[in-house]
mmCIF file of all heavy atoms in Angstrom:
data_model
loop_
_atom_site.group_PDB
_atom_site.id
_atom_site.type_symbol
_atom_site.label_atom_id
_atom_site.label_comp_id
_atom_site.label_asym_id
_atom_site.label_seq_id
_atom_site.Cartn_x
_atom_site.Cartn_y
_atom_site.Cartn_z
ATOM 1 N N VAL X 97 20.441 1.465 33.731
ATOM 2 C CA VAL X 97 20.631 2.413 32.631
ATOM 3 C C VAL X 97 20.972 3.732 33.123
ATOM 4 O O VAL X 97 20.289 4.333 33.981
ATOM 5 C CB VAL X 97 19.368 2.424 31.755
ATOM 6 C CG1 VAL X 97 19.580 3.469 30.634
ATOM 7 C CG2 VAL X 97 19.135 0.996 31.054
ATOM 8 N N THR X 98 22.023 4.350 32.681
ATOM 9 C CA THR X 98 22.482 5.642 33.159
ATOM 10 C C THR X 98 22.306 6.690 32.071
ATOM 11 O O THR X 98 22.240 7.898 32.372
ATOM 12 C CB THR X 98 23.919 5.595 33.630
ATOM 13 O OG1 THR X 98 24.696 4.921 32.586
ATOM 14 C CG2 THR X 98 24.083 4.892 34.977
ATOM 15 N N SER X 99 22.228 6.367 30.803
ATOM 16 C CA SER X 99 22.004 7.378 29.855
ATOM 17 C C SER X 99 21.486 6.760 28.553
ATOM 18 O O SER X 99 21.638 5.572 28.293
ATOM 19 C CB SER X 99 23.246 8.145 29.471
ATOM 20 O OG SER X 99 24.070 7.469 28.657
ATOM 21 N N VAL X 100 20.679 7.543 27.732
ATOM 22 C CA VAL X 100 20.273 7.178 26.517
ATOM 23 C C VAL X 100 20.584 8.241 25.490
ATOM 24 O O VAL X 100 20.413 9.507 25.755
ATOM 25 C CB VAL X 100 18.704 6.934 26.397
ATOM 26 C CG1 VAL X 100 18.142 6.565 25.043
ATOM 27 C CG2 VAL X 100 18.350 5.693 27.457
ATOM 28 N N ALA X 101 21.036 7.935 24.152
ATOM 29 C CA ALA X 101 21.246 8.914 23.218
ATOM 30 C C ALA X 101 20.767 8.464 21.880
ATOM 31 O O ALA X 101 20.584 7.244 21.612
ATOM 32 C CB ALA X 101 22.844 9.166 23.059
ATOM 33 N N PHE X 102 20.347 9.492 21.074
ATOM 34 C CA PHE X 102 19.862 9.154 19.661
ATOM 35 C C PHE X 102 20.896 9.845 18.740
ATOM 36 O O PHE X 102 21.112 11.005 18.757
ATOM 37 C CB PHE X 102 18.540 9.764 19.512
ATOM 38 C CG PHE X 102 17.473 9.129 20.374
ATOM 39 C CD1 PHE X 102 17.201 9.507 21.593
ATOM 40 C CD2 PHE X 102 16.874 7.976 19.788
ATOM 41 C CE1 PHE X 102 16.246 8.841 22.374
ATOM 42 C CE2 PHE X 102 15.910 7.283 20.568
ATOM 43 C CZ PHE X 102 15.583 7.802 21.885
ATOM 44 N N VAL X 103 21.384 8.994 17.805
ATOM 45 C CA VAL X 103 22.287 9.535 16.741
ATOM 46 C C VAL X 103 21.642 9.281 15.326
ATOM 47 O O VAL X 103 21.151 8.173 15.011
ATOM 48 C CB VAL X 103 23.719 8.805 16.785
ATOM 49 C CG1 VAL X 103 24.496 9.077 15.554
ATOM 50 C CG2 VAL X 103 24.354 9.161 18.067
ATOM 51 N N VAL X 104 21.597 10.385 14.577
ATOM 52 C CA VAL X 104 21.088 10.263 13.259
ATOM 53 C C VAL X 104 22.258 10.597 12.219
ATOM 54 O O VAL X 104 22.485 11.823 11.983
ATOM 55 C CB VAL X 104 19.936 11.281 12.909
ATOM 56 C CG1 VAL X 104 19.269 11.091 11.627
ATOM 57 C CG2 VAL X 104 18.837 10.984 14.034
ATOM 58 N N PRO X 105 22.962 9.637 11.757
ATOM 59 C CA PRO X 105 24.186 9.926 10.842
ATOM 60 C C PRO X 105 24.038 10.796 9.763
ATOM 61 O O PRO X 105 25.014 11.563 9.374
ATOM 62 C CB PRO X 105 24.559 8.489 10.519
ATOM 63 C CG PRO X 105 24.060 7.602 11.564
ATOM 64 C CD PRO X 105 22.749 8.172 11.936
ATOM 65 N N ALA X 106 22.844 10.916 9.075
ATOM 66 C CA ALA X 106 22.655 11.687 7.920
ATOM 67 C C ALA X 106 22.301 13.174 8.251
ATOM 68 O O ALA X 106 22.127 13.970 7.401
ATOM 69 C CB ALA X 106 21.687 11.036 6.995
ATOM 70 N N ASN X 107 22.060 13.411 9.477
ATOM 71 C CA ASN X 107 21.720 14.807 9.870
ATOM 72 C C ASN X 107 22.921 15.663 9.899
ATOM 73 O O ASN X 107 24.041 15.144 10.101
ATOM 74 C CB ASN X 107 21.061 14.831 11.285
ATOM 75 C CG ASN X 107 19.489 14.710 11.214
ATOM 76 O OD1 ASN X 107 18.948 14.547 10.131
ATOM 77 N ND2 ASN X 107 18.859 14.728 12.441
ATOM 78 N N PRO X 108 22.725 17.013 9.712
ATOM 79 C CA PRO X 108 23.883 17.943 9.749
ATOM 80 C C PRO X 108 24.714 17.787 10.990
ATOM 81 O O PRO X 108 25.923 17.785 10.979
ATOM 82 C CB PRO X 108 23.288 19.334 9.605
ATOM 83 C CG PRO X 108 21.923 19.002 8.921
ATOM 84 C CD PRO X 108 21.456 17.683 9.475
ATOM 85 N N ASN X 109 23.956 17.780 12.186
ATOM 86 C CA ASN X 109 24.523 17.477 13.529
ATOM 87 C C ASN X 109 24.064 16.190 13.913
ATOM 88 O O ASN X 109 22.869 15.991 14.118
ATOM 89 C CB ASN X 109 24.301 18.558 14.504
ATOM 90 C CG ASN X 109 24.834 19.881 14.007
ATOM 91 O OD1 ASN X 109 26.069 20.036 14.015
ATOM 92 N ND2 ASN X 109 24.027 20.876 13.821
ATOM 93 N N VAL X 110 24.960 15.154 14.052
ATOM 94 C CA VAL X 110 24.424 13.786 14.122
ATOM 95 C C VAL X 110 23.810 13.375 15.453
ATOM 96 O O VAL X 110 23.039 12.588 15.569
ATOM 97 C CB VAL X 110 25.654 12.828 13.794
ATOM 98 C CG1 VAL X 110 26.050 13.047 12.385
ATOM 99 C CG2 VAL X 110 26.830 12.959 14.776
ATOM 100 N N LEU X 111 24.339 14.072 16.556
ATOM 101 C CA LEU X 111 23.774 13.687 17.870
ATOM 102 C C LEU X 111 22.480 14.499 18.016
ATOM 103 O O LEU X 111 22.452 15.686 18.134
ATOM 104 C CB LEU X 111 24.720 14.067 18.885
ATOM 105 C CG LEU X 111 24.283 13.781 20.368
ATOM 106 C CD1 LEU X 111 24.013 12.240 20.568
ATOM 107 C CD2 LEU X 111 25.326 14.216 21.389
ATOM 108 N N ALA X 112 21.333 13.725 18.044
ATOM 109 C CA ALA X 112 20.061 14.441 18.075
ATOM 110 C C ALA X 112 19.602 14.629 19.504
ATOM 111 O O ALA X 112 18.866 15.614 19.803
ATOM 112 C CB ALA X 112 19.011 13.587 17.317
ATOM 113 N N ALA X 113 19.811 13.773 20.381
ATOM 114 C CA ALA X 113 19.345 13.923 21.799
ATOM 115 C C ALA X 113 20.166 13.071 22.720
ATOM 116 O O ALA X 113 20.657 11.968 22.337
ATOM 117 C CB ALA X 113 17.845 13.558 21.882
ATOM 118 N N TYR X 114 20.320 13.579 23.925
ATOM 119 C CA TYR X 114 21.104 12.702 24.911
ATOM 120 C C TYR X 114 20.393 12.911 26.372
ATOM 121 O O TYR X 114 20.123 13.956 26.733
ATOM 122 C CB TYR X 114 22.539 13.301 24.995
ATOM 123 C CG TYR X 114 23.421 12.791 26.089
ATOM 124 C CD1 TYR X 114 23.682 11.397 26.194
ATOM 125 C CD2 TYR X 114 24.060 13.590 27.057
ATOM 126 C CE1 TYR X 114 24.478 10.857 27.108
ATOM 127 C CE2 TYR X 114 24.895 13.148 28.041
ATOM 128 C CZ TYR X 114 25.103 11.674 27.999
ATOM 129 O OH TYR X 114 25.891 11.188 28.998
ATOM 130 N N TYR X 115 19.975 11.802 26.922
ATOM 131 C CA TYR X 115 19.367 11.892 28.217
ATOM 132 C C TYR X 115 20.184 11.152 29.354
ATOM 133 O O TYR X 115 20.631 10.031 29.057
ATOM 134 C CB TYR X 115 18.037 11.071 28.010
ATOM 135 C CG TYR X 115 17.045 11.636 27.011
ATOM 136 C CD1 TYR X 115 17.159 11.245 25.619
ATOM 137 C CD2 TYR X 115 16.032 12.526 27.311
ATOM 138 C CE1 TYR X 115 16.353 11.691 24.634
ATOM 139 C CE2 TYR X 115 15.201 12.979 26.390
ATOM 140 C CZ TYR X 115 15.358 12.572 25.041
ATOM 141 O OH TYR X 115 14.499 13.059 24.120
ATOM 142 N N LYS X 116 20.329 11.862 30.336
ATOM 143 C CA LYS X 116 20.829 11.167 31.525
ATOM 144 C C LYS X 116 19.779 10.536 32.352
ATOM 145 O O LYS X 116 18.620 11.100 32.553
ATOM 146 C CB LYS X 116 21.482 12.244 32.534
ATOM 147 C CG LYS X 116 22.709 12.943 31.850
ATOM 148 C CD LYS X 116 23.917 12.016 31.635
ATOM 149 C CE LYS X 116 24.741 11.890 32.864
ATOM 150 N NZ LYS X 116 25.955 11.131 32.600
ATOM 151 N N ILE X 117 19.942 9.278 32.687
ATOM 152 C CA ILE X 117 18.854 8.583 33.305
ATOM 153 C C ILE X 117 19.243 8.371 34.861
ATOM 154 O O ILE X 117 20.099 7.491 35.130
ATOM 155 C CB ILE X 117 18.590 7.172 32.675
ATOM 156 C CG1 ILE X 117 18.342 7.326 31.212
ATOM 157 C CG2 ILE X 117 17.456 6.532 33.409
ATOM 158 C CD1 ILE X 117 17.108 8.022 30.767
ATOM 159 N N PRO X 118 18.587 9.049 35.771
ATOM 160 C CA PRO X 118 19.001 8.832 37.214
ATOM 161 C C PRO X 118 18.597 7.433 37.707
ATOM 162 O O PRO X 118 17.771 6.788 37.102
ATOM 163 C CB PRO X 118 18.207 9.881 37.900
ATOM 164 C CG PRO X 118 17.805 10.853 36.837
ATOM 165 C CD PRO X 118 17.638 10.098 35.671
ATOM 166 N N GLU X 119 19.284 7.033 38.775
ATOM 167 C CA GLU X 119 19.033 5.658 39.318
ATOM 168 C C GLU X 119 17.532 5.436 39.647
ATOM 169 O O GLU X 119 16.894 6.391 40.189
ATOM 170 C CB GLU X 119 19.889 5.535 40.529
ATOM 171 C CG GLU X 119 20.018 4.078 41.016
ATOM 172 C CD GLU X 119 20.882 3.975 42.236
ATOM 173 O OE1 GLU X 119 21.721 4.850 42.554
ATOM 174 O OE2 GLU X 119 20.865 2.893 43.010
ATOM 175 N N GLY X 120 17.046 4.331 39.455
ATOM 176 C CA GLY X 120 15.708 4.007 39.685
ATOM 177 C C GLY X 120 14.705 4.443 38.782
ATOM 178 O O GLY X 120 13.457 4.338 38.988
ATOM 179 N N THR X 121 15.115 4.961 37.597
ATOM 180 C CA THR X 121 14.216 5.505 36.555
ATOM 181 C C THR X 121 13.946 4.526 35.476
ATOM 182 O O THR X 121 14.851 3.765 35.122
ATOM 183 C CB THR X 121 14.945 6.683 35.905
ATOM 184 O OG1 THR X 121 15.292 7.679 36.928
ATOM 185 C CG2 THR X 121 13.973 7.418 34.887
ATOM 186 N N MET X 122 12.689 4.497 35.184
ATOM 187 C CA MET X 122 12.366 3.496 34.050
ATOM 188 C C MET X 122 12.857 4.067 32.804
ATOM 189 O O MET X 122 12.420 5.134 32.337
ATOM 190 C CB MET X 122 10.829 3.335 34.071
ATOM 191 C CG MET X 122 10.296 2.246 33.109
ATOM 192 S SD MET X 122 8.528 2.399 32.826
ATOM 193 C CE MET X 122 7.941 2.250 34.491
ATOM 194 N N PRO X 123 13.742 3.427 32.054
ATOM 195 C CA PRO X 123 14.309 3.871 30.740
ATOM 196 C C PRO X 123 13.223 3.726 29.549
ATOM 197 O O PRO X 123 13.322 2.736 28.921
ATOM 198 C CB PRO X 123 15.555 3.113 30.657
ATOM 199 C CG PRO X 123 15.292 1.795 31.296
ATOM 200 C CD PRO X 123 14.319 2.130 32.377
ATOM 201 N N ASP X 124 12.426 4.717 29.438
ATOM 202 C CA ASP X 124 11.356 4.658 28.411
ATOM 203 C C ASP X 124 11.224 6.119 27.853
ATOM 204 O O ASP X 124 10.643 6.953 28.515
ATOM 205 C CB ASP X 124 10.078 4.065 28.963
ATOM 206 C CG ASP X 124 8.962 3.908 27.943
ATOM 207 O OD1 ASP X 124 9.112 4.448 26.856
ATOM 208 O OD2 ASP X 124 8.068 3.193 28.318
ATOM 209 N N ILE X 125 11.781 6.355 26.790
ATOM 210 C CA ILE X 125 11.735 7.693 26.115
ATOM 211 C C ILE X 125 11.102 7.794 24.774
ATOM 212 O O ILE X 125 11.349 6.903 23.906
ATOM 213 C CB ILE X 125 13.195 8.171 26.069
ATOM 214 C CG1 ILE X 125 13.881 8.336 27.442
ATOM 215 C CG2 ILE X 125 13.304 9.397 25.202
ATOM 216 C CD1 ILE X 125 15.336 8.627 27.428
#
Side-chain angles (χ1 to χ4, degrees):
Chain X
V97 174
T98 47
S99 77
V100 172
F102 294 88
V103 170
V104 183
N107 270 3
N109 295 299
V110 297
L111 181 59
Y114 174 58
Y115 301 85
K116 297 291 278 187
I117 310 290
E119 195 180 342
T121 306
M122 190 194 299
D124 185 346
I125 293 171

